Amino acid sequence: MDRSGNLATEELKMTREQYILATQQNSLPRTENPQFYPVGIYGWRKRCLYFFVLLLLVTMIVNLAMTIWILKVMNFTVDGMGNLRVTKKGIRLEGISEFLLPLYVKEINSRKDSPLVLQSDRNVTVNARNHMGQLTGQLTVGADAVEAQCKRFEVRASEGGKVLFSADEDEIVIGADRLKVTGTEGAVFGHSVETPHIRAEPSQDLKLESPTRSLVMEAPRGVQINAAAGDLKATCRKELHLQSTEGEIFLNADTIRLGNLPVGSFSSSSPSSSIPRQTIYELCVCPNGKLYLSPAGAGSTCQSSSNICLWS
């Protein structure tokens, strides 16, 4: 009890002393002038701040001017930029365009009233790849040649989709109704040619020629040569062979002429002055098949003039 009473007495004394000190400070007269401290940025700091604000303002004006100039030069519009237009179907590009890097697109179309031109200083290459990125087809248009690398190359007609030309590793097929070769040297084939019909143009000649080797025409069911409105000529330098192994050689014409046949002669007992001019001859055959003419008489004269067979 004594200890707690002492603590309360001390606290009461400390409170009284603080009150007295505070009352005395307020009652004392103020003899000194109060000091005011300015708040803000002054001097060189203020000048630097104004300089940076001015520099920022100039930079913003220059950027705005450059942005307006770029928009004006590049012709930016709501639909796109310059010749590039963004439509619902894709991107539309008008005029001449240059691509410095690879271009990956799904489809390229030109306008309806103008063609599509792909131009390059060296070559134009179009590649096709599968889903694994492997090259399946390539078309290269160069200065010296046009090369196509694929499994099968086809050229189709615009109407109906008919195959006009196709080529692969096994064969080349020409599906056009007519194959026309206009070169002065004609068409040169290194190997055999199989065709059901060879025909020249109207009012033109058809010529099959082998300048240094032989010309062979073969058909298992026959070879037919027909000249409906002209002559049929077979000319050779040495020998002309007509051979039939199992059948016959049939010559059907109103007149059959064999020119330049040798004429056999035989001695006669009658004087030459009484011999009339011979106008009729007999066609004779030697054992080797050679034909010759013998003056006709009352009977056969081939035997009497058969000395020509000894010369053959």
Side-chain angles (χ1 to χ4, degrees):
M1 294 293 294
D2 295 338
R3 185 177 181 179
S4 58
N6 293 332
L7 290 175
T9 304
E10 290 179 0
E11 288 179 0
L12 181 60
K13 289 180 180 181
M14 291 177 63
T15 302
R16 185 180 300 173
E17 290 176 357
Q18 290 178 356
Y19 174 75
I20 293 171
L21 290 175
T23 305
Q24 289 178 356
Q25 289 179 359
N26 292 332
S27 60
L28 292 176
R30 298 181 179 179
T31 58
E32 296 182 359
N33 297 328
Q35 296 181 359
F36 298 95
Y37 296 96
V39 178
I41 301 175
Y42 296 92
W44 63 271
R45 295 182 180 86
K46 185 177 181 180
R47 289 191 293 270
C48 290
L49 178 61
Y50 287 163
F51 174 75
F52 284 120
V53 171
L54 182 61
L55 181 61
L56 180 60
L57 181 61
V58 172
T59 305
M60 292 176 59
I61 294 174
V62 172
N63 289 338
L64 181 61
M66 291 294 293
T67 304
I68 296 174
W69 179 76
I70 292 174
L71 293 176
K72 184 67 176 178
V73 172
M74 300 302 293
N75 194 13
F76 276 96
T77 60
V78 179
D79 297 331
M81 177 186 67
N83 296 329
L84 185 63
R85 296 289 184 268
V86 180
T87 61
K88 296 181 180 180
K89 296 182 180 179
I91 297 177
R92 180 178 178 180
L93 186 61
E94 299 180 356
I96 300 175
S97 304
E98 296 182 2
F99 298 94
L100 303 178
L101 297 176
L103 177 64
Y104 299 93
V105 295
K106 182 179 180 180
E107 185 177 357
I108 299 177
N109 294 327
S110 64
R111 295 192 306 178
K112 295 181 179 180
D113 55 348
S114 63
L116 177 63
V117 179
L118 301 178
Q119 185 176 354
S120 175
D121 294 338
R122 295 185 178 180
N123 55 35
V124 177
T125 303
V126 180
N127 295 332
R129 301 180 182 273
N130 56 12
H131 63 282
M132 300 180 63
Q134 298 176 352
L135 184 64
T136 57
Q138 185 180 65
L139 177 63
T140 304
V141 180
D144 299 330
V146 178
E147 299 179 358
Q149 181 181 356
C150 55
K151 293 183 179 180
R152 182 177 179 86
F153 180 76
E154 292 185 355
V155 178
R156 294 181 177 270
S158 58
E159 298 180 359
K162 180 181 178 181
V163 179
L164 302 179
F165 178 84
S166 64
D168 54 15
E169 296 181 356
D170 298 330
E171 62 180 2
I172 297 177
V173 178
I174 299 176
D177 297 335
R178 178 183 297 180
L179 175 62
K180 186 176 182 180
V181 181
T182 59
T184 57
E185 298 295 332
V188 180
F189 300 95
H191 298 281
S192 61
V193 178
E194 298 180 5
T195 176
H197 191 190
I198 299 178
R199 182 180 63 184
E201 291 185 351
S203 303
Q204 298 293 332
D205 297 333
L206 176 63
K207 185 177 181 180
L208 301 178
E209 181 182 5
S210 178
T212 58
R213 294 293 185 269
S214 60
L215 177 63
V216 179
M217 292 186 295
E218 297 180 354
R221 300 186 62 180
V223 177
Q224 182 179 359
I225 302 175
N226 184 17
D231 299 336
L232 178 63
K233 296 181 181 180
T235 305
C236 63
R237 182 178 179 181
K238 292 183 178 181
E239 297 180 355
L240 177 62
H241 295 272
L242 299 177
Q243 182 181 0
S244 177
T245 57
E246 297 182 359
E248 60 182 7
I249 297 175
F250 180 69
L251 301 177
N252 183 12
D254 295 337
T255 302
I256 299 177
R257 295 180 181 181
L258 300 176
N260 297 330
L261 290 179
V263 180
S265 61
F266 61 92
S267 61
S268 176
S269 60
S270 60
S272 59
S273 60
S274 62
I275 298 177
R277 183 180 179 182
Q278 189 70 35
T279 58
I280 301 176
Y281 294 89
E282 182 180 359
L283 181 61
C284 304
V285 182
C286 294
N288 60 357
K290 182 178 180 180
L291 299 178
Y292 66 95
L293 298 178
S294 178
S300 177
T301 59
C302 293
Q303 187 68 29
S304 58
S305 59
S306 61
N307 55 351
I308 197 172
C309 295
L310 301 176
W311 303 340
S312 59

